[in-house]
Amino acid sequence: MPDYSDRLEKALEITGDAAVVSLAYFRNDPATETKADQSPVTLADKATENSLRDSIQRNFPGEAIFGEEFGQTGDGDKMWIIDPIDGTRSFIAGLPLFGMLLGFLVEGRPKMGVIRMPALDEVYSGGEGLHAACNGTSIRVSECRSLDGARLFVNEGDKLAVREPEAFQRLVRAGQLRRMAADCYPHALVARGLADAVVDYDLQPYDYLPVSAVVEAAGGIMTDWQGNRLTMASDGRTVTAATRELHAEILALLNQP
């Protein structure tokens, strides 16, 4: 099995440098535009992605890069995937729960991921053959096996309520403790063992592939709503769970006829 530890160390350095860029704009009213899909983008998103791209190109010349703001450059089996500010709406509102995602893929499969929370000064990392860690300390998912006892996050609840109303109504009655949320941080909390599951919706590959590498390094599982492995072509509906038993129960709840 290839050793990705050196790449992970460099990825932590690269995202740490880029976090300085995003924090310089945070709560500083950066100029905002609306993209074709009606999602917001700020100067901070673009400047942060440029910082990440420049560092990757300098350290790993010739490898492909796919980012939210500037698309794909290069091709080949090795690709870096970037979400410079995961949670732009949170960023604009001054909420410190926005993240930064960086993943490394080989033939489309995530081998390593970083979830950095600049305003919280937390960074989660992990990958194939690597321990999951938060700020350098090893982390592990919980042992929760039952939805009745689970700490469940429901992400993008406003979209779910409109587009998947029956599933949403089941979710808001599930679990021992429920929180409505968004973006990457709830998934990081599952990896850390502080939450047990996340149901997410309307994601892009740069939202879920870096995160899945961290979750799975921590012993968890992250798939689409049918239980399939996540790929660049997944439909953006995901389930993250601490254990296979809990994961199976959530899939059954989501897919009730």
Side-chain angles (χ1 to χ4, degrees), residues 160-161 163-171 173 253 256-257:
L160 279 168
R163 302 178 196 174
E164 305 273 358
E166 293 180 356
F168 178 74
Q169 288 301 319
R170 292 193 291 269
L171 286 168
R173 296 192 295 269
L253 180 143
Q256 286 181 16

Side-chain angles (χ1 to χ4, degrees), residues 202-221:
D202 197 28
L203 303 183
Q204 296 297 324
Y206 42 72
D207 296 315
Y208 56 76
L209 290 176
V211 167
S212 69
V214 178
V215 168
E216 291 176 5
I221 182 170

Side-chain angles (χ1 to χ4, degrees), residues 66-111:
F66 178 62
E68 178 176 7
E69 307 308 334
F70 300 112
Q72 183 170 337
T73 56
D75 53 25
D77 292 341
K78 296 178 179 179
M79 176 185 285
W80 294 87
I81 188 164
I82 298 169
D83 190 344
I85 296 181
D86 182 68
T88 299
R89 290 180 175 86
S90 293
F91 186 90
I92 292 168
L95 188 68
L97 299 182
F98 67 93
M100 176 191 301
L101 305 178
L102 179 62
F104 177 66
L105 315 181
V106 177
E107 297 180 342
R109 301 193 65 170
K111 300 297 182 180

